[in-house]
Amino acid sequence: MSNTVTPWEVKGKIDYDKLIEQFGTQKIDEPLIKEISDLTGGKLHTMLRRGIFFSHRDLNLILKDYSDGKNFFLYTGRAPSLGMHIGHLIPFVFTKWLQDVFKVNVYIEVTDDEKFMRNPDYSLDQTMQWSIENILDIIAVGFDPDRTFIFQDTEYIKNMYPVSIKIAKKLNFSEVRATFGFDNSSNIGIIFYPALQIAPTMFEKRRCLIPAGIDQDPYWRLQRDIAESLGYYKAAQIHSKFLPPLTGPEGKMSSSSPESAIYLSDDPKTVRKKIMKYAFSGGQATAELQRKLGADLSVDVPYQWLYYFFEEDDEKIKKIGEEYSTGRILTGEIKEYLADKLNRFLEEHRSRREEAKELIKEFKYEGKLAKEMWSKTIV
Amino acid sequence: MSNTVTPWEVKGKIDYDKLIEQFGTQKIDEPLIKEISDLTGGKLHTMLRRGIFFSHRDLNLILKDYSDGKNFFLYTGRAPSLGMHIGHLIPFVFTKWLQDVFKVNVYIEVTDDEKFMRNPDYSLDQTMQWSIENILDIIAVGFDPDRTFIFQDTEYIKNMYPVSIKIAKKLNFSEVRATFGFDNSSNIGIIFYPALQIAPTMFEKRRCLIPAGIDQDPYWRLQRDIAESLGYYKAAQIHSKFLPPLTGPEGKMSSSSPESAIYLSDDPKTVRKKIMKYAFSGGQATAELQRKLGADLSVDVPYQWLYYFFEEDDEKIKKIGEEYSTGRILTGEIKEYLADKLNRFLEEHRSRREEAKELIKEFKYEGKLAKEMWSKTIV
C-alpha cells in the first residue's frame, strides 16, 4: 500500500513512525509530555495523553521560551471548504486548549486565495463565502476573542504583503517545486502562495508553534530554512495523526466521498445513519463470533473516533477497549455509543456556532489582538 | 550586433521595423495619425508627429471607442529607482498629453514590490522610498489630480489582489517562463508579479491604452491572452522608441553608467559638462571637416534628443537638421543649444516637482479618481 503524504494528498494506511523518520521530525516522548504537564499544573489534553499529537519540531524550545517568560504564539489555518467535518476540528480543538493553558495569542489564516487558485472549479466568491462559514465553526471551538486573530488572506493581504514578498524573494521555483510537487503547468499564484502561508509565522518576534496535520510540514521546512535570515524564529510544530475516515482505517476524510465523514452540519439522523451504515468495524461478522473473538481495535473506526476525540474519560475508554476487544460488547453497541457522543458534541457545537455569529467581528476586526493586527504592517 | 529587447535588457542598435515584426505589433501609419488628429482637433504631440511613438496594438479600437462615447483609460507605470533620468519621462509626458486631449483617467502603477524582488541588493525600504521620490517627478509632468491615480503595489495590493489572483490562476509557470525568461532559480515573488502588472488593465470595464517602451510588450501579450476570459478587454498599447543614451546611439540609458544619462536632479553645470564631454556626436572630427561634410544626424545624440523631445518647434528642428547636416553649424553649437534647452526644461521640472510635494496626497489618496479607487475592490 503506497503511503503518500503531501499537503493535498493523504493516501494509504499511515505508518506514523515512518512519517517521523521521513519528515525528520521528533517523536513526542514521555519526558516531553511530563514537561508539558509540569508547566500546565498537571493538565494534559486527551489528544496529548493518547498520542494523537505524536510528532514535533522544537516543541522543547517553545516550552523553554514559555518557562523563561519569553513566551510564544500559536498559528494554524484553514483552506475553506463548503462544509467542515469532524476531522477538520482536531487542530483547532487542540490549539484552543493550548491557548487556554498557556494564555497565548492565536493566529488563524483562512486561505480563500489558495483554495480558489488551486481548484479550477471554484470561484473566488465561493471560497470567500466558505471562509465566513468555516470561521463560524472555528469560533465555535471556543477561542479567546481578545487573544485570537482570524483573517482571510484576501482581507489581510496588505498588512502581510511586505513580509510575504521578503519571504518570496528567498524562495525560488526549484525549492517550491521540489517541496510541493509543482510543475510547469502550476499557476503562478499557487507558486507564490507558500510565501503567504509562511508569513504568519512572522507575526510576532517570538517563537511560533503550529499545531497541524503532518501533511503541512513542507511549508514549515521552507520556513525554517529562511526565517532566521529575515530576523525571525524557526517555527515549531506539533503534528497530529489523521482521524480515520468512517469508511475505513486508511487515509483521510474527504469531501468528495460524503459517507467517509461526519459534517458539522449533519443532523442527528444522518449521523446515526452514516455510523450505522458506513463506519468500518473491527468487530466480527456475527454477534456469536464477536462474543467469541472480540474486535480488532486497530482497524475499528468507531473505537478510534472515541479514542481520538469523543471519549475524553480515560477510565471509560479503557473499559470500552477491553470489553469490545474481548467480545463483551458488540459492534452495534459501540456504534450507538459513538452516535450519541457525536450528536451531543454536534448539538453543542451548533449552539456555539449560532453564538459565533455575534462574535465574528471580534475575532476578525475588533477584539484586542485583531485591532492590534489591523493597525500594523508586518515587515 | 545583437538586438535584445526584454523588460530588463535593451541592448544593441535597435531596428524598430524589425521589432514591429518580431513583436507582431502594428506600425503607426499616416491614416492612423490623421484619425488621431481629427479627434483632437488637429493637435498632435511632437512624439507622434516625429514617430517616437511608432508602434501599437489596437490603437484604432481605442479611437473607435472614444468616437463612440464608450471611452477608454490610460495605464502606465514605473519601477522605482534611486533617480529618474530624462528617458524615463517619455511615457509620462506622452500619457499626460493623451489625458489632456482625451480627458481620460490615468492609472500609474509604481512597482516597489517588483523592484525589491528583482534585485538582490535592494531593500524594500529603499524601493518604497524611491517610489515616493519618483512619484514627485511623475506628478511634475502635469497630470490632472482628479483623473489620475498613482499607487504603489505594496499600498494598493488589497484592492487589486482579487483580480490579481484571478489573473494568476490563468497563467502557468511555462507561460511566464517563456515570456520573461524566468528559470528555476527565479524567486516565487517575481514569478507571481506579472499578475500584478496586468491587474491595472482591468481597473475599468473599458478598453485600456498603455503608452510604454516596446520592451514591456511581453506583459501585454499575456494580458491579451486572458483578458476576455475574465470579462475585460484586451489592452491596447502604443510603443515608444528609446531615447538614445548620451554616450552613443545604441541601447538605452542606464543607471549603472551615470554618464549615459541626464538625471532629473542634475544641476546645470553637470548637464552642460555631460553633454559637452559625453554626448556622442555625428559631427566631423574637426570644424573644418564639419563645415565641409556636415554631421550624420542618424547617430548624433544631441540632435536626436532635440528631435525626440526637446525641440518641439517643427520649423526649428528642420532648420537645425539642415544646417547641421550640411556643416553650417558645428557640434559645439548644437551641444550648447541642447544644454540650454535641457537646463530650462529641468529648471521648470524641478519647480513643478517642489509643487508636487503638496499634491502627492491628491494623486495617491484624495483626488476624485484616487478616492474612488480606494473605495473599491477590483474583482
PDB file of all heavy atoms in Angstrom, chain A residues 120-140:
ATOM      1  N   PRO A 120      -9.625  24.480 -10.160  1.00  0.00           N
ATOM      2  CA  PRO A 120     -10.188  25.047 -11.384  1.00  0.00           C
ATOM      3  C   PRO A 120     -11.683  25.340 -11.259  1.00  0.00           C
ATOM      4  O   PRO A 120     -12.183  26.276 -11.869  1.00  0.00           O
ATOM      5  CB  PRO A 120      -9.938  23.957 -12.428  1.00  0.00           C
ATOM      6  CG  PRO A 120      -8.829  23.126 -11.889  1.00  0.00           C
ATOM      7  CD  PRO A 120      -8.905  23.211 -10.403  1.00  0.00           C
ATOM      8  N   ASP A 121     -12.383  24.530 -10.467  1.00  0.00           N
ATOM      9  CA  ASP A 121     -13.846  24.655 -10.426  1.00  0.00           C
ATOM     10  C   ASP A 121     -14.371  25.708  -9.473  1.00  0.00           C
ATOM     11  O   ASP A 121     -15.555  26.028  -9.514  1.00  0.00           O
ATOM     12  CB  ASP A 121     -14.469  23.309 -10.020  1.00  0.00           C
ATOM     13  CG  ASP A 121     -14.147  22.222 -11.036  1.00  0.00           C
ATOM     14  OD1 ASP A 121     -13.823  22.578 -12.188  1.00  0.00           O
ATOM     15  OD2 ASP A 121     -14.204  21.042 -10.659  1.00  0.00           O
ATOM     16  N   TYR A 122     -13.540  26.220  -8.582  1.00  0.00           N
ATOM     17  CA  TYR A 122     -14.059  27.133  -7.562  1.00  0.00           C
ATOM     18  C   TYR A 122     -13.898  28.579  -7.993  1.00  0.00           C
ATOM     19  O   TYR A 122     -12.871  28.979  -8.531  1.00  0.00           O
ATOM     20  CB  TYR A 122     -13.339  26.935  -6.227  1.00  0.00           C
ATOM     21  CG  TYR A 122     -13.471  25.556  -5.633  1.00  0.00           C
ATOM     22  CD1 TYR A 122     -12.539  25.104  -4.698  1.00  0.00           C
ATOM     23  CD2 TYR A 122     -14.512  24.693  -5.993  1.00  0.00           C
ATOM     24  CE1 TYR A 122     -12.644  23.834  -4.141  1.00  0.00           C
ATOM     25  CE2 TYR A 122     -14.615  23.429  -5.437  1.00  0.00           C
ATOM     26  CZ  TYR A 122     -13.677  23.003  -4.520  1.00  0.00           C
ATOM     27  OH  TYR A 122     -13.772  21.750  -3.966  1.00  0.00           O
ATOM     28  N   SER A 123     -14.931  29.374  -7.678  1.00  0.00           N
ATOM     29  CA  SER A 123     -14.807  30.816  -7.901  1.00  0.00           C
ATOM     30  C   SER A 123     -14.313  31.462  -6.616  1.00  0.00           C
ATOM     31  O   SER A 123     -14.447  30.904  -5.528  1.00  0.00           O
ATOM     32  CB  SER A 123     -16.161  31.408  -8.291  1.00  0.00           C
ATOM     33  OG  SER A 123     -17.003  31.463  -7.155  1.00  0.00           O
ATOM     34  N   LEU A 124     -13.761  32.666  -6.757  1.00  0.00           N
ATOM     35  CA  LEU A 124     -13.286  33.380  -5.572  1.00  0.00           C
ATOM     36  C   LEU A 124     -14.455  33.743  -4.666  1.00  0.00           C
ATOM     37  O   LEU A 124     -14.340  33.712  -3.437  1.00  0.00           O
ATOM     38  CB  LEU A 124     -12.495  34.623  -5.996  1.00  0.00           C
ATOM     39  CG  LEU A 124     -11.825  35.419  -4.882  1.00  0.00           C
ATOM     40  CD1 LEU A 124     -10.889  34.563  -4.026  1.00  0.00           C
ATOM     41  CD2 LEU A 124     -11.047  36.610  -5.451  1.00  0.00           C
ATOM     42  N   ASP A 125     -15.584  34.077  -5.260  1.00  0.00           N
ATOM     43  CA  ASP A 125     -16.789  34.333  -4.458  1.00  0.00           C
ATOM     44  C   ASP A 125     -17.107  33.145  -3.553  1.00  0.00           C
ATOM     45  O   ASP A 125     -17.431  33.315  -2.375  1.00  0.00           O
ATOM     46  CB  ASP A 125     -18.005  34.581  -5.368  1.00  0.00           C
ATOM     47  CG  ASP A 125     -18.039  36.011  -5.865  1.00  0.00           C
ATOM     48  OD1 ASP A 125     -17.257  36.845  -5.346  1.00  0.00           O
ATOM     49  OD2 ASP A 125     -18.830  36.300  -6.781  1.00  0.00           O
ATOM     50  N   GLN A 126     -17.032  31.946  -4.126  1.00  0.00           N
ATOM     51  CA  GLN A 126     -17.309  30.748  -3.340  1.00  0.00           C
ATOM     52  C   GLN A 126     -16.348  30.607  -2.173  1.00  0.00           C
ATOM     53  O   GLN A 126     -16.767  30.417  -1.033  1.00  0.00           O
ATOM     54  CB  GLN A 126     -17.172  29.492  -4.217  1.00  0.00           C
ATOM     55  CG  GLN A 126     -18.399  29.181  -5.059  1.00  0.00           C
ATOM     56  CD  GLN A 126     -18.154  27.967  -5.942  1.00  0.00           C
ATOM     57  OE1 GLN A 126     -17.159  27.909  -6.670  1.00  0.00           O
ATOM     58  NE2 GLN A 126     -19.063  27.000  -5.876  1.00  0.00           N
ATOM     59  N   THR A 127     -15.056  30.702  -2.452  1.00  0.00           N
ATOM     60  CA  THR A 127     -14.100  30.429  -1.363  1.00  0.00           C
ATOM     61  C   THR A 127     -14.162  31.536  -0.306  1.00  0.00           C
ATOM     62  O   THR A 127     -13.902  31.283   0.862  1.00  0.00           O
ATOM     63  CB  THR A 127     -12.656  30.238  -1.883  1.00  0.00           C
ATOM     64  OG1 THR A 127     -12.183  31.454  -2.454  1.00  0.00           O
ATOM     65  CG2 THR A 127     -12.589  29.129  -2.921  1.00  0.00           C
ATOM     66  N   MET A 128     -14.543  32.749  -0.718  1.00  0.00           N
ATOM     67  CA  MET A 128     -14.696  33.815   0.279  1.00  0.00           C
ATOM     68  C   MET A 128     -15.933  33.559   1.148  1.00  0.00           C
ATOM     69  O   MET A 128     -15.918  33.798   2.352  1.00  0.00           O
ATOM     70  CB  MET A 128     -14.757  35.178  -0.416  1.00  0.00           C
ATOM     71  CG  MET A 128     -13.398  35.619  -0.959  1.00  0.00           C
ATOM     72  SD  MET A 128     -13.442  37.068  -2.070  1.00  0.00           S
ATOM     73  CE  MET A 128     -13.500  38.400  -0.878  1.00  0.00           C
ATOM     74  N   GLN A 129     -16.987  33.067   0.528  1.00  0.00           N
ATOM     75  CA  GLN A 129     -18.208  32.750   1.275  1.00  0.00           C
ATOM     76  C   GLN A 129     -17.959  31.583   2.239  1.00  0.00           C
ATOM     77  O   GLN A 129     -18.334  31.630   3.407  1.00  0.00           O
ATOM     78  CB  GLN A 129     -19.338  32.420   0.280  1.00  0.00           C
ATOM     79  CG  GLN A 129     -20.692  32.158   0.921  1.00  0.00           C
ATOM     80  CD  GLN A 129     -21.098  33.273   1.885  1.00  0.00           C
ATOM     81  OE1 GLN A 129     -20.938  34.455   1.596  1.00  0.00           O
ATOM     82  NE2 GLN A 129     -21.600  32.897   3.053  1.00  0.00           N
ATOM     83  N   TRP A 130     -17.293  30.541   1.735  1.00  0.00           N
ATOM     84  CA  TRP A 130     -16.966  29.399   2.599  1.00  0.00           C
ATOM     85  C   TRP A 130     -16.109  29.843   3.786  1.00  0.00           C
ATOM     86  O   TRP A 130     -16.210  29.271   4.875  1.00  0.00           O
ATOM     87  CB  TRP A 130     -16.209  28.328   1.804  1.00  0.00           C
ATOM     88  CG  TRP A 130     -16.998  27.722   0.685  1.00  0.00           C
ATOM     89  CD1 TRP A 130     -18.363  27.757   0.526  1.00  0.00           C
ATOM     90  CD2 TRP A 130     -16.486  26.980  -0.432  1.00  0.00           C
ATOM     91  NE1 TRP A 130     -18.715  27.098  -0.622  1.00  0.00           N
ATOM     92  CE2 TRP A 130     -17.594  26.601  -1.234  1.00  0.00           C
ATOM     93  CE3 TRP A 130     -15.197  26.600  -0.838  1.00  0.00           C
ATOM     94  CZ2 TRP A 130     -17.436  25.861  -2.414  1.00  0.00           C
ATOM     95  CZ3 TRP A 130     -15.054  25.866  -2.003  1.00  0.00           C
ATOM     96  CH2 TRP A 130     -16.163  25.504  -2.784  1.00  0.00           C
ATOM     97  N   SER A 131     -15.245  30.820   3.547  1.00  0.00           N
ATOM     98  CA  SER A 131     -14.388  31.308   4.640  1.00  0.00           C
ATOM     99  C   SER A 131     -15.237  31.769   5.815  1.00  0.00           C
ATOM    100  O   SER A 131     -14.973  31.414   6.964  1.00  0.00           O
ATOM    101  CB  SER A 131     -13.514  32.468   4.160  1.00  0.00           C
ATOM    102  OG  SER A 131     -12.643  32.024   3.148  1.00  0.00           O
ATOM    103  N   ILE A 132     -16.235  32.566   5.527  1.00  0.00           N
ATOM    104  CA  ILE A 132     -17.105  33.085   6.600  1.00  0.00           C
ATOM    105  C   ILE A 132     -17.778  31.915   7.324  1.00  0.00           C
ATOM    106  O   ILE A 132     -17.803  31.857   8.558  1.00  0.00           O
ATOM    107  CB  ILE A 132     -18.192  34.010   6.014  1.00  0.00           C
ATOM    108  CG1 ILE A 132     -17.561  35.168   5.236  1.00  0.00           C
ATOM    109  CG2 ILE A 132     -19.111  34.525   7.117  1.00  0.00           C
ATOM    110  CD1 ILE A 132     -16.787  36.125   6.081  1.00  0.00           C
ATOM    111  N   GLU A 133     -18.291  30.970   6.550  1.00  0.00           N
ATOM    112  CA  GLU A 133     -18.971  29.817   7.171  1.00  0.00           C
ATOM    113  C   GLU A 133     -18.002  29.013   8.035  1.00  0.00           C
ATOM    114  O   GLU A 133     -18.333  28.633   9.155  1.00  0.00           O
ATOM    115  CB  GLU A 133     -19.568  28.913   6.076  1.00  0.00           C
ATOM    116  CG  GLU A 133     -20.652  29.573   5.234  1.00  0.00           C
ATOM    117  CD  GLU A 133     -21.867  29.986   6.070  1.00  0.00           C
ATOM    118  OE1 GLU A 133     -22.180  29.293   7.052  1.00  0.00           O
ATOM    119  OE2 GLU A 133     -22.485  31.030   5.751  1.00  0.00           O
ATOM    120  N   ASN A 134     -16.815  28.769   7.507  1.00  0.00           N
ATOM    121  CA  ASN A 134     -15.826  27.991   8.269  1.00  0.00           C
ATOM    122  C   ASN A 134     -15.367  28.735   9.511  1.00  0.00           C
ATOM    123  O   ASN A 134     -15.124  28.137  10.562  1.00  0.00           O
ATOM    124  CB  ASN A 134     -14.603  27.658   7.395  1.00  0.00           C
ATOM    125  CG  ASN A 134     -14.872  26.607   6.316  1.00  0.00           C
ATOM    126  OD1 ASN A 134     -13.961  26.138   5.669  1.00  0.00           O
ATOM    127  ND2 ASN A 134     -16.127  26.222   6.113  1.00  0.00           N
ATOM    128  N   ILE A 135     -15.253  30.049   9.396  1.00  0.00           N
ATOM    129  CA  ILE A 135     -14.812  30.844  10.556  1.00  0.00           C
ATOM    130  C   ILE A 135     -15.813  30.693  11.704  1.00  0.00           C
ATOM    131  O   ILE A 135     -15.426  30.615  12.876  1.00  0.00           O
ATOM    132  CB  ILE A 135     -14.597  32.331  10.156  1.00  0.00           C
ATOM    133  CG1 ILE A 135     -13.322  32.448   9.304  1.00  0.00           C
ATOM    134  CG2 ILE A 135     -14.502  33.223  11.389  1.00  0.00           C
ATOM    135  CD1 ILE A 135     -13.109  33.826   8.662  1.00  0.00           C
ATOM    136  N   LEU A 136     -17.092  30.608  11.390  1.00  0.00           N
ATOM    137  CA  LEU A 136     -18.091  30.394  12.446  1.00  0.00           C
ATOM    138  C   LEU A 136     -17.833  29.073  13.171  1.00  0.00           C
ATOM    139  O   LEU A 136     -17.899  28.996  14.402  1.00  0.00           O
ATOM    140  CB  LEU A 136     -19.507  30.419  11.861  1.00  0.00           C
ATOM    141  CG  LEU A 136     -19.956  31.773  11.310  1.00  0.00           C
ATOM    142  CD1 LEU A 136     -21.342  31.645  10.665  1.00  0.00           C
ATOM    143  CD2 LEU A 136     -19.973  32.850  12.392  1.00  0.00           C
ATOM    144  N   ASP A 137     -17.508  28.033  12.398  1.00  0.00           N
ATOM    145  CA  ASP A 137     -17.203  26.742  13.022  1.00  0.00           C
ATOM    146  C   ASP A 137     -15.937  26.814  13.878  1.00  0.00           C
ATOM    147  O   ASP A 137     -15.841  26.174  14.917  1.00  0.00           O
ATOM    148  CB  ASP A 137     -17.060  25.649  11.953  1.00  0.00           C
ATOM    149  CG  ASP A 137     -18.420  25.170  11.429  1.00  0.00           C
ATOM    150  OD1 ASP A 137     -19.289  24.859  12.264  1.00  0.00           O
ATOM    151  OD2 ASP A 137     -18.604  25.124  10.202  1.00  0.00           O
ATOM    152  N   ILE A 138     -14.984  27.595  13.412  1.00  0.00           N
ATOM    153  CA  ILE A 138     -13.719  27.718  14.159  1.00  0.00           C
ATOM    154  C   ILE A 138     -13.953  28.477  15.469  1.00  0.00           C
ATOM    155  O   ILE A 138     -13.496  28.068  16.536  1.00  0.00           O
ATOM    156  CB  ILE A 138     -12.648  28.416  13.285  1.00  0.00           C
ATOM    157  CG1 ILE A 138     -12.269  27.498  12.105  1.00  0.00           C
ATOM    158  CG2 ILE A 138     -11.425  28.767  14.110  1.00  0.00           C
ATOM    159  CD1 ILE A 138     -11.470  28.195  11.003  1.00  0.00           C
ATOM    160  N   ILE A 139     -14.702  29.563  15.372  1.00  0.00           N
ATOM    161  CA  ILE A 139     -15.003  30.339  16.582  1.00  0.00           C
ATOM    162  C   ILE A 139     -15.746  29.465  17.599  1.00  0.00           C
ATOM    163  O   ILE A 139     -15.498  29.545  18.805  1.00  0.00           O
ATOM    164  CB  ILE A 139     -15.832  31.592  16.230  1.00  0.00           C
ATOM    165  CG1 ILE A 139     -14.970  32.583  15.433  1.00  0.00           C
ATOM    166  CG2 ILE A 139     -16.394  32.260  17.484  1.00  0.00           C
ATOM    167  CD1 ILE A 139     -15.743  33.771  14.868  1.00  0.00           C
ATOM    168  N   ALA A 140     -16.634  28.601  17.081  1.00  0.00           N
ATOM    169  CA  ALA A 140     -17.440  27.739  17.960  1.00  0.00           C
ATOM    170  C   ALA A 140     -16.577  26.818  18.824  1.00  0.00           C
ATOM    171  O   ALA A 140     -17.024  26.317  19.852  1.00  0.00           O
ATOM    172  CB  ALA A 140     -18.423  26.925  17.134  1.00  0.00           C
TER     173      ALA A 140
END
